[in-house]
Amino acid sequence: MKPAMSADPAAILASRAVLRPRQGIAAALMDLLLRIAPAGFAFLRRWWPIPRIGTLAAATRHDDVIEVFARDDAFGVPYAAKLDLLMGGEPFVLGMADGPAYRDAIAALRQVIRLEDLPRLAARTERRAGAIVAGAGGRLEVVDGLVRPIAFGVIADYLGIPPPAGGDLAVWATRLFEYQFVAGDAPLVAEVAVIAPTLRAHVDRVIAARRADGGGGADVLGRCLAAQAAGDARFADAAIRTMLLGMMVGGPPQPPMVVPQALEQLLRRPAALAAAQAAARAGDDETLRAHVLEAMRFDPLGPALPRIARHDTVLAAGTERARAIPAGTKVFACFQSAMLDPRRVAEPARFVAGRPARDYVHFGHGAHECFGRHINHATLHLMLKPLLAQPRLRRARGPAGRLRKRGAFAEALTVEFG
C-alpha cells in the first residue's frame, strides 16, 4: 500500500506504508550515487580529498572526517530548523551547539537512559528475534518481518511510548527521520506538518496519563516523571516530550536500515557468514557483534553527515590538501569513505572482524556522536542472532533474495533456512 502523498491529514496519519515511493530523475540519480559511492570516494580520497564547489564541500579522508566531527566550534550541526518543526520549537541535543546548555541536556538524558539498562534491552531484543524466527516457517523477510518490529517494539517499550490510536509509530517515526536526515521535498514536508504535532500530542497524553496513574515505572518515562517530582527543572513536561520524541525519531528507524544491509554483506561472503553463524550458535555475542560491525562498514547507515562552517576556517591545516572553508559552507563528513581509507584502515577491502574501534565511524564522532550508539552496539547483532543460528541459511530464490533499497532505506531482503 502506498503512503498518502496528499495533504489530507486523515490519510497521512492512517498510512501503513513505512517507506515512501521514490520516482523521477532525482530519485534515480540519488540511487545511482549511493551505489557508486565507494568507487567515487576512492577517487576523491586520492585526487581531490577535500572537494569544494561554491557553498558545498566534503571531507573524504579518515583524518579529515574525524576533524570535521571533532571541531564543533568550527563545523556546527545543521539540524535546528528541521528540529523546530518536529519538536514544536523545543530544543533537542541534536540541534544544539556544544556548550553548557548542550552538556546539561546530555546529562539529563544520561540520567534516564542508562548503560545499566543495556543487558535488559539485549535480552528483550534476542527474545523477540527468537520468537519471530521460530514462527517464520523457514522463510523470512528481514526488513519488515524481523528488524523493524523488534527495533520499534523494544525501544518504544523502553521509552514508555505505547502505539498511537489510529496510527503506526514505525510509519510516523520513519517519516520524521527521513525529513530530519534524508529529504525535504514538498510532499514529505506536508506529511511531517501533520505527523509531528500529532505525535507530540500523543506523547503529551501519555505523559499526563502516566502521571495520573502515579508516574511510576522502570522505563525512561517513569524515570523522567520521578525526576520531575523530585523538583529537577530539566524535566518539565515539554522537555520530557522532546526527549522521548527525539529518541523515538532518531533511534528505531536506524536498525531497519543497517541490519539488513549487514546481513546482505555477510551473504556475499560465505566465510564471514559461516563465522558469524558459528558465533551465533555458540552464544559468542562478542564475536557476532564484531562480524556485524564489520559488515556494516561496507554499507553503513549512510554515506555522509552534514555540518555547517560557523566561521571562516581551514580543514586539514598544515597538510598539502589543506582547504579554506568559508563561513556558511555545508561540509559533508563522508564517514563511509573514512571507513574505507587505507591511510588509517588496514586492508579496507578485506572483511576483518574485530578491527580496532578507531576504524569505525558508524555513529559519528565527537560531541554529536549518536547518543543511542550504546543501545545499537548492545542490540543490532542480536536482531540477527537467532536467524544466523539456523541451519542452511541462504538467500531466497529470485529477486526476493537480494537486498532491495529505496534510496538510503533498506526495503526488503528475504532469506530461507532449515
Side-chain angles (χ1 to χ4, degrees):
M1 174 177 158
K2 293 184 179 181
M5 298 306 293
S6 70
D8 175 39
I12 290 171
L13 295 175
S15 173
R16 292 295 185 270
V18 179
L19 302 183
R20 298 188 301 146
R22 291 171 49 81
Q23 299 174 350
I25 295 175
L29 180 59
M30 180 58 66
D31 291 343
L32 175 62
L33 290 175
L34 290 172
R35 285 197 297 271
I36 66 173
F41 285 142
F43 175 86
L44 290 173
R45 284 194 304 269
R46 180 172 182 180
W47 300 108
W48 199 16
I50 309 177
R52 180 169 73 83
I53 302 175
T55 59
L56 298 177
T60 63
R61 291 189 182 178
H62 188 281
D63 290 356
D64 302 338
V65 169
I66 295 301
E67 180 182 347
V68 171
F69 282 139
R71 292 178 58 196
D72 190 69
D73 62 319
F75 302 104
V77 289
Y79 302 123
K82 286 188 173 183
L83 280 169
D84 280 346
L85 177 58
L86 300 190
M87 304 300 174
E90 292 292 325
F92 183 61
V93 293
L94 183 63
M96 299 168 67
D98 191 12
Y102 171 80
R103 294 172 189 175
D104 190 51
I106 287 290
L109 277 171
R110 288 176 176 156
Q111 183 173 325
V112 295
I113 299 175
R114 306 170 184 170
L115 294 179
E116 67 196 51
D117 299 331
L118 297 180
R120 177 161 53 103
L121 289 172
R124 288 181 179 178
T125 297
E126 187 172 347
R127 282 198 303 271
R128 293 198 183 199
I132 290 171
V133 171
R139 182 181 174 93
L140 181 61
E141 196 288 302
V142 175
V143 182
D144 278 326
L146 177 66
V147 179
R148 185 167 282 120
I150 297 172
F152 279 92
V154 169
I155 298 302
D157 288 349
Y158 175 58
L159 294 176
I161 303 177
D168 189 319
L169 197 55
V171 176
W172 292 5
T174 302
R175 285 290 189 282
L176 301 188
F177 178 95
E178 183 180 7
Y179 171 71
Q180 181 63 62
F181 295 105
V182 180
D185 55 90
L188 178 58
V189 173
E191 293 191 41
V192 170
V194 173
I195 293 171
T198 305
L199 186 52
R200 291 198 302 269
H202 171 64
V203 176
D204 282 338
R205 288 191 294 271
V206 170
I207 293 170
R210 178 72 71 86
R211 186 168 44 237
D213 286 342
D219 55 25
V220 174
L221 174 54
R223 290 171 180 168
C224 288
L225 290 173
Q228 183 186 79
D232 193 327
R234 297 174 301 180
F235 291 91
D237 279 5
I240 294 174
R241 179 192 69 213
T242 301
M243 285 183 187
L244 297 177
L245 189 59
M247 295 304 296
M248 195 72 223
V249 171
Q254 292 185 30
M257 299 170 71
V258 296
V259 174
Q261 292 171 186
L263 179 58
E264 168 69 23
Q265 294 299 318
L266 290 173
L267 290 168
R268 294 180 184 183
R269 298 169 172 84
L273 176 62
Q277 289 194 271
R281 291 166 184 155
D284 184 352
D285 292 344
E286 288 302 316
T287 297
L288 178 58
R289 179 189 290 110
H291 279 76
V292 172
L293 283 174
E294 176 69 356
M296 288 166 52
R297 185 172 66 86
F298 293 93
D299 193 0
L301 188 62
L305 285 172
R307 294 292 187 264
I308 299 293
R310 299 182 187 276
H311 51 73
D312 292 351
T313 189
V314 176
L315 182 57
T319 72
E320 293 181 352
R321 65 185 183 279
R323 176 76 66 180
I325 306 294
T329 301
K330 179 178 281 191
V331 181
F332 290 93
C334 302
F335 61 93
Q336 181 181 28
S337 180
M339 292 190 287
L340 297 172
D341 187 354
R343 294 161 190 80
R344 289 291 178 266
V345 179
E347 299 183 277
R350 286 187 59 220
F351 189 104
V352 181
R355 289 180 181 272
R358 65 176 179 271
D359 287 358
Y360 296 123
V361 200
H362 288 305
F363 306 112
H365 176 80
H368 284 281
E369 188 173 6
C370 177
F371 186 83
R373 64 191 181 278
H374 299 298
I375 294 175
N376 284 337
H377 279 290
T379 60
L380 295 185
H381 60 297
L382 298 180
M383 296 181 187
L384 289 177
K385 182 180 177 181
L387 178 61
L388 289 169
Q390 299 304 307
R392 297 188 61 237
L393 179 64
R394 60 202 183 274
R395 298 180 187 275
R397 294 181 181 180
R402 298 285 172 177
L403 178 67
R404 188 168 69 249
K405 299 177 75 171
R406 290 194 196 181
F409 294 89
E411 181 178 21
L413 171 62
T414 300
V415 295
E416 297 177 349
F417 53 88

